[in-house]
Structure formats: structure tokens, C-alpha cells
């Protein structure tokens, strides 16, 4: 059976400035530029962010390739560390202004809608060293200066804006689980950072509207990795663990962005544990009044949890993990290269959650995808990666997404991570996600089998539902 999508459906792909442009001509180092300078060994094969996919130099050819595989919309991000010269004053770097203007015009010339995100884990590192980065409300205000410059410069042509990509990853990576520089383990700071990121998003949204950019079809939102939480059993201790995980990992950002309020139950727990953030009434008012128009959802894998092995009342430094443990489902289907479970039905669950609990806000899948190692092993003699596994992965996720749309969820698009193989933080180029491969030694870019397949899907606006059974 065929499943048809709306004629205006966004068929696209997502990347980010720090993962595709390369460090060329940048005045400031971001957190990853700096981390690579001081600890190159932390990155797979010692490959850092200096060149990535060379988009700064090859954007015209890259965009032509994106066009050739049928993409009608592409997300990237503007690097704060590139656009702004004086971070305190928010003055502009002319080379960066020219670059981003050209990129946006080039997308539009190719009939690709440019979707712009403002912050993708790439805080200018000086702001961390000087002020503690997102721990500081001064940095929140500097981010708003940067956002305002972006809106003023590009808001005439860019209609779809996002304030942050996966802000919870900043909290987890930098302050809890040590996978992003500065690799702190500090629950109290983590909670303040989460609050400040929420505040910065609301303040940027306020700025967007005060410039009048919400008129004329302009929209602004946030991109969240809504990894749905599934309890290991129906026992109350596992259900409670799942509830906390959902509150901390998802609702801390989603409720705040969509409803303008932090979830009361989470606030109560954080207050009882003496780790609640510092806030003021006027900040909470800004958060209340500046909710999102639109939501981007990144989805890769489910989050299965069980009651923690230790008691939540344990003594010692506060970390959110005291309330839940990861649960590995026996017999789960895996992408072994990336270490992530594959569970397409979650996209249907996400669609229903947004419909039922978030006023059916307009949303799109802003990232979904499959990272595979050593894809050259799947290359045919003519140099095309035969990535049938990626085609099956996308197709199956689209089936479940379509079921959600059929049942009334307001989803208007699907973006794959990523158009052209790009640099993935500490994993660098270990796992490849693109519809187009990139030989990082020559920067020669070649469409994969999935790229040709995706083009066909965007033309027919439909997919084949070949599932024998639904979960
Ligand atoms: C996401 C992130 C992207 C990309 C992707 C695949 O969490 O937003 O930047 O790295 O994972 O690794």
C-alpha cells in the first residue's frame, strides 16, 4: 500500500554550521574548536572541526547536490563564533555576513527553503572561560544580541527560525555525562544551565516578535530531541523512574517552550533536593509570554528506563540519575555501529503526544537518521554507496510518522540527518549519516543510493508501506 504526504510537506535534511563549514576565516573559537586544540585525542581518529565538509568553500556545489536529490528545505545553523566580532557588543564580522547572505541566497535560488537555527552546541569558548558560559545570565543576553543580528540581517528571506538545537545535550554533555567540553559533573550547575537555555530561547523569541518578524509568514521555535521514555515494566517504581526521566529529559524544555511553564512536579522535586535554579519573576514572565510557534523534533532512539539500583535518597552529590537507570530491552533491534536501538514506532508516539498534550502545535521531524561506520565497504564499483539499510530505516520511520499524521497530528515535514556526510563532534567522521557521501581526504562528494531513492520519494510524495505487522 502507498502512503501519500501533503503536497507542501517538507522533504529535507539538516546539518549545522560547526559540523559542515570548517573553521576557515573564523575570528572566535567555539567550544569544540578549542577542545580540539587542547585535546585532539578526544576525537575519533584525531579528526577535528577545522575542515569538516568544507561547506565554507564549496557551498555552491554542495547546495547544487542537495537540489539534485530533491530536497525542498534544508536546515543549517549560523555560527555565533563566526558572525559576531565583538561578543560583548554584538558587532558584525563582514566576511561572515557576506558568507551567510550568499548561502541563504543560493538556497533560495535552488528552490530550497533555508531553515536557520541559532545555537548548535557551539558557544564561543571565551564566554565559557570568562563567564562560565550558559551558567551565566550575562551570556544569555549576549546570545540575544547575536540572535537579534541574525533576525535583522536574514529575516527578510528566512521565514523559519529555531533558537537552539537539542539544548538538553548541552546540559548532559557539559555538566552531567562528560561527553562535551568542559566535561563537568555538577547537577546544580546543570539545572541552572537548563533554566538559562530556556530563558535565552524565550528572550530571543521576544526579540524576533518585537522586530515584527512574526508577520509575513515568519515563525520561530526550538529543536528538541524528544526521546520518548518507556518504562521497563508497569511496576510503580519503574513508572516513577520513567516519569522523572521524561520530566527531566523532555518536559524541562518542551513544556517550557510550548506552554511557557516549567513542569510543576519537576520544580517540586528540584526544590526539595535543594538544586532549583535561580529565577526572577520578570524572567518567568518572559518565559510565559514567549512560547514557540513551531516545534522541531529530533528522534533517533527510544529511552528505556527502570527504577535505579540505588535509592533516590542516597547521600552524595545530586545528579538526576539518582531517579532512574537506563534499561536495555532484551532482544532489542540495534544499530550496532552507533550503539542505538532502532524503534520507528516512537515517531508515532511522539506525534500523538504532541497532538494530545501540546495543543497539536505545528511540528516537523527536524532530525532522524542512521550513523553507519565504514560505508566504503558498501560501495559498488562505480563508487555509489549501496545503503539499503538507510532506505529501510527512513521508510519505516516515515510509515509510523504517516500513521500519526493520518490520526490528526500536525506534522508538516521530515528532515533526515544529514544531506552530506558531516563531522559529528567526538565521533568526527566515524559514523556516516548522509544521503551524499564525502571523501574527507579529497572532499569529493557522491550521491548514495539513498539519495536517489529520496529524490524519488520527494517527487512522488509518497512511500511504500511494506510492513507486515505494526507494533
Ligand atoms: C544529534 C545532533 C547532531 C548530530 C546527530 C548525529 O544529536 O543534533 O548534531 O551530531 O546527533 O550524531
Amino acid at each position: 500500500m502507498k502512503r501519500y504526504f501533503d503536497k507542501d510537506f517538507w522533504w529535507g535534511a539538516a546539518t549545522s554550521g560547526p559540523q559542515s563549514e570548517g573553521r576557515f576565516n573564523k575570528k572566535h573559537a567555539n567550544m569544540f574548536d578549542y577542545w580540539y586544540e587542547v585535546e585532539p585525542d578526544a576525537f575519533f581518529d584525531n579528526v577535528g572541526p577545522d575542515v569538516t565538509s568544507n561547506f565554507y568553500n564549496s557551498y555552491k556545489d554542495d547546495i547544487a547536490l542537495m537540489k539534485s536529490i530533491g530536497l525542498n528545505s534544508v536546515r543549517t545553523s549560523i555560527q555565533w563564533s563566526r558572525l559576531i566580532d565583538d561578543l560583548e557588543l554584538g558587532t558584525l564580522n563582514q566576511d561572515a555576513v557576506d558568507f551567510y547572505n550568499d548561502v541563504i541566497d543560493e538556497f533560495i535560488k535552488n528552490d530550497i527553503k533555508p531553515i536557520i537555527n541559532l545555537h548548535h552546541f557551539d558557544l564561543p569558548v571565551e564566554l565559557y572561560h570568562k563567564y562560565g558560559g550558559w551558567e551565566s545570565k550575562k551570556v544569555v543576553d549576549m546570545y540575544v544580541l547575536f540572535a537579534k543580528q541574525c533576525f535583522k540581517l536574514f529575516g527578510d528571506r528566512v521565514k523559519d527560525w529555531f533558537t537552539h538545537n537539542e539544548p538538553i545535550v548541552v546540559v548532559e554533555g557539559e555538566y552531567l555525562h562528560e561527553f562535551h567540553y568542559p566535561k563537568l559533573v555538577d547537577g546544580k550547575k546543570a539545572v541552572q544551565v537548563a533554566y538559562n537555555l530556556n530563558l535565552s530561547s524565550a528572550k530571543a523569541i521576544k526579540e524576533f516578535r518585537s522586530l515584527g518578524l512574526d508577520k509575513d509568514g515568519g515563525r520561530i521555535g526550538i529543536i528538541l530531541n524528544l526521546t520518548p521514555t518507556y518504562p521497563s515494566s508497569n511496576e510503580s517504581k519503574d513508572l516513577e523512574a520513567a516519569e522523572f526521566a521524561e520530566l527531566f529529559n523532555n518536559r524541562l524544555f518542551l513544556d517550557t517552550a510550548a506552554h511557557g511553564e516549567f513542569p510543576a512536579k519537576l520544580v517540586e522535586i528540584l526544590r526539595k533536593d535543594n538544586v532549583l535554579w535561580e529565577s526572577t519573576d520578570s524572567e518567568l514572565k518572559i518565559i510565559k509570554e514567549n512560547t514557540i510557534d513551531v516545534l522541531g523534533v529530533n528522534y533517533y532512539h527510544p529511552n528505556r528506563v527502570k527504577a535505579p539500583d540505588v535509592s533516590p535518597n542516597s547521600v552524595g552529590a545530586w545528579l538526576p540519575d539518582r531517579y532512574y537507570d537506563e534499561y536495555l530491552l532484551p532482544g532489542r533491534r540495534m544499530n550496532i555501529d552507533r550503539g542505538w536501538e532502532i524503534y520507528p514506532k516512537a515517531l508515532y508516539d511522539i506525534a500523538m503526544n504532541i497532538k494530545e498534550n501540546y495543543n497539536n502545535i505545528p511540528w516537523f521531524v527536524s532530525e532522524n537518521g542512521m550513523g553507519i561506520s565504514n560505508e566504503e565497504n558498501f560501495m559498488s564499483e562505480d563508487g555509489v554507496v549501496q545503503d539499503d539499510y538507510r532506505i529501510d530505516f527512513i521508510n519505516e520511520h516515515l510509515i509510523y510518522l504517516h500513521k500519526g499524521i493520518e490520526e490528526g497530528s500536525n506534522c508538516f515535514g521530515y528532515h533526515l540527518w544529514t544531506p552530506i556526510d558531516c563531522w559529528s563532534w567526538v565521533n568526527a567522521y566515524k559514523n556516516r549519516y548522509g544521503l551524499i557521501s564525502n571523501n574527507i581526504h579529497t572532499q569529493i562528494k557522491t550521491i548514495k543510493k539513498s539519495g536517489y531513492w529520496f529524490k524519488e520519494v520527494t517527487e512522488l510524495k509518497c512511500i511504500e508501506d511494506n510492513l507486515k505487522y505494526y507494533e
Side-chain angles (χ1 to χ4, degrees):
M1 129 190 181
K2 291 203 183 325
R3 289 182 173 271
Y4 286 89
F5 289 80
D6 199 82
K7 67 173 184 1
D8 299 322
F9 198 72
W10 287 7
W11 294 105
T15 184
S16 78
Q19 294 175 273
S20 63
E21 290 170 9
R23 200 178 161 177
F24 310 101
N25 275 346
K26 246 174 32 141
K27 173 156 176 188
H28 302 280
N30 65 36
M31 298 289 270
F32 282 88
D33 296 329
Y34 173 80
W35 186 13
Y36 182 65
E37 278 173 24
V38 297
E39 204 192 340
D41 288 353
F43 296 80
F44 183 78
D45 266 354
N46 280 28
V47 175
D50 294 348
V51 180
T52 61
S53 313
N54 195 38
F55 187 73
Y56 180 82
N57 299 305
S58 60
Y59 64 92
K60 288 205 167 143
D61 294 338
D62 291 358
I63 292 172
L65 273 172
M66 295 179 203
K67 164 84 182 160
S68 77
I69 55 166
L71 308 186
N72 65 13
S73 47
V74 169
R75 165 167 62 112
T76 186
S77 68
I78 292 177
Q79 290 198 69
W80 184 356
S81 55
R82 180 186 292 289
L83 188 76
I84 301 298
D85 250 348
D86 184 321
L87 298 165
E88 311 268 341
L89 301 175
T91 57
L92 294 169
N93 178 288
Q94 195 52 45
D95 180 76
V97 173
D98 295 343
F99 169 65
Y100 289 118
N101 265 324
D102 278 358
V103 166
I104 288 165
D105 290 344
E106 196 65 26
F107 274 126
I108 294 172
K109 241 196 279 170
N110 282 281
D111 293 319
I112 296 175
K113 196 192 279 286
I115 314 303
I116 297 294
N117 173 44
L118 297 176
H119 173 249
H120 199 127
F121 317 159
D122 59 337
L123 178 82
V125 74
E126 294 139 82
L127 300 185
Y128 176 71
H129 290 144
K130 206 160 162 199
Y131 300 113
W134 291 111
E135 296 159 41
S136 150
K137 292 187 187 169
K138 195 172 161 59
V139 170
V140 169
D141 289 332
M142 285 189 231
Y143 161 82
V144 178
L145 283 181
F146 156 61
K148 188 172 169 185
Q149 292 288 31
C150 294
F151 300 148
K152 285 191 354 201
L153 286 164
F154 313 117
D156 57 334
R157 286 152 293 155
V158 175
K159 296 296 166 198
D160 296 275
W161 290 88
F162 291 89
T163 55
H164 292 279
N165 176 80
E166 301 186 347
I168 190 71
V169 170
V170 174
V171 177
E172 293 169 340
E174 297 182 20
Y175 292 91
L176 295 172
H177 304 314
E178 302 175 273
F179 59 88
H180 286 179
Y181 177 82
K183 297 192 275 180
L184 305 180
V185 182
D186 188 326
K188 174 121 178 88
K189 279 188 181 168
V191 166
Q192 187 66 46
V193 165
Y195 173 84
N196 289 354
L197 285 163
N198 272 298
L199 176 65
S200 72
S201 181
K203 283 190 161 186
I205 293 174
K206 182 166 185 240
E207 209 55 64
F208 181 80
R209 294 189 181 135
S210 68
L211 288 168
L213 291 177
D214 52 338
K215 315 274 163 350
D216 241 9
R219 303 191 285 189
I220 188 158
I222 193 165
I223 290 172
L224 303 177
N225 45 323
L226 290 188
T227 302
T229 316
Y230 299 98
S232 60
S233 83
N234 279 332
E235 274 184 54
S236 64
K237 63 182 178 37
D238 295 321
L239 295 176
E240 269 167 39
E243 187 191 15
F244 182 85
E246 183 70 16
L247 281 168
F248 194 84
N249 298 321
N250 295 335
R251 295 186 51 195
L252 170 55
F253 283 96
L254 179 57
D255 286 30
T256 315
H259 297 322
E261 278 174 21
F262 291 97
K265 176 128 195 216
L266 179 64
V267 172
E268 190 189 307
I269 297 170
L270 298 176
R271 181 172 289 128
K272 167 180 79 56
D273 288 353
N274 271 323
V275 291
L276 190 63
W277 46 70
E278 278 172 31
S279 62
T280 66
D281 288 348
S282 64
E283 289 167 357
L284 293 173
K285 187 160 178 277
I286 294 176
I287 290 173
K288 181 74 200 164
E289 288 172 355
N290 294 283
T291 53
I292 50 172
D293 302 318
V294 58
L295 176 69
V297 176
N298 294 355
Y299 170 69
Y300 289 90
H301 58 83
N303 186 17
R304 299 192 190 273
V305 305
K306 58 179 184 182
D309 284 342
V310 295
S311 160
N313 300 330
S314 299
V315 177
W318 186 90
L319 290 174
D321 332 23
R322 64 171 54 199
Y323 290 107
Y324 65 93
D325 274 346
E326 187 188 4
Y327 169 66
L328 299 176
L329 180 75
R332 66 200 173 280
R333 182 172 158 204
M334 288 291 290
N335 168 5
I336 290 167
D337 288 351
R338 185 60 186 81
W340 281 342
E341 183 183 338
I342 300 177
Y343 187 62
K345 176 175 174 279
L347 265 188
Y348 170 81
D349 295 339
I350 290 171
M352 290 300 111
N353 182 28
I354 295 172
K355 180 182 168 206
E356 279 153 24
N357 302 314
Y358 296 92
N359 301 325
N360 210 6
I361 189 170
W363 69 285
F364 80 118
V365 176
S366 39
E367 286 181 30
N368 175 230
M370 192 185 214
I372 292 290
S373 309
N374 304 315
E375 276 202 315
E376 59 280 4
N377 295 343
F378 296 92
M379 220 176 243
S380 56
E381 268 170 26
D382 54 355
V384 175
V385 176
Q386 303 295 313
D387 53 347
D388 295 84
Y389 44 82
R390 181 167 290 109
I391 295 174
D392 293 343
F393 179 98
I394 302 171
N395 200 62
E396 209 176 324
H397 282 78
L398 282 169
I399 291 171
Y400 279 102
L401 177 64
H402 190 269
K403 265 171 72 66
I405 297 173
E406 248 178 3
E407 290 179 32
S409 190
N410 204 357
C411 172
F412 60 82
Y414 175 91
H415 278 190
L416 186 79
W417 185 268
T418 185
I420 299 174
D421 285 346
C422 69
W423 183 80
S424 244
W425 318 112
V426 288
N427 279 334
Y429 276 90
K430 174 175 181 288
N431 301 311
R432 305 303 185 96
Y433 292 82
L435 294 165
I436 298 166
S437 72
N438 181 15
N439 178 327
I440 59 169
H441 307 291
T442 60
Q443 289 292 335
I444 291 176
K445 292 159 184 164
T446 314
I447 299 173
K448 301 181 194 174
K449 183 172 177 186
S450 59
Y452 294 106
W453 172 82
F454 203 75
K455 180 177 185 358
E456 218 176 280
V457 171
T458 65
E459 281 165 1
L460 300 172
K461 301 188 189 328
C462 83
I463 51 157
E464 195 63 51
D465 185 342
N466 49 11
L467 286 193
K468 290 199 191 62
Y469 63 91
Y470 296 101
E471 276 190 69

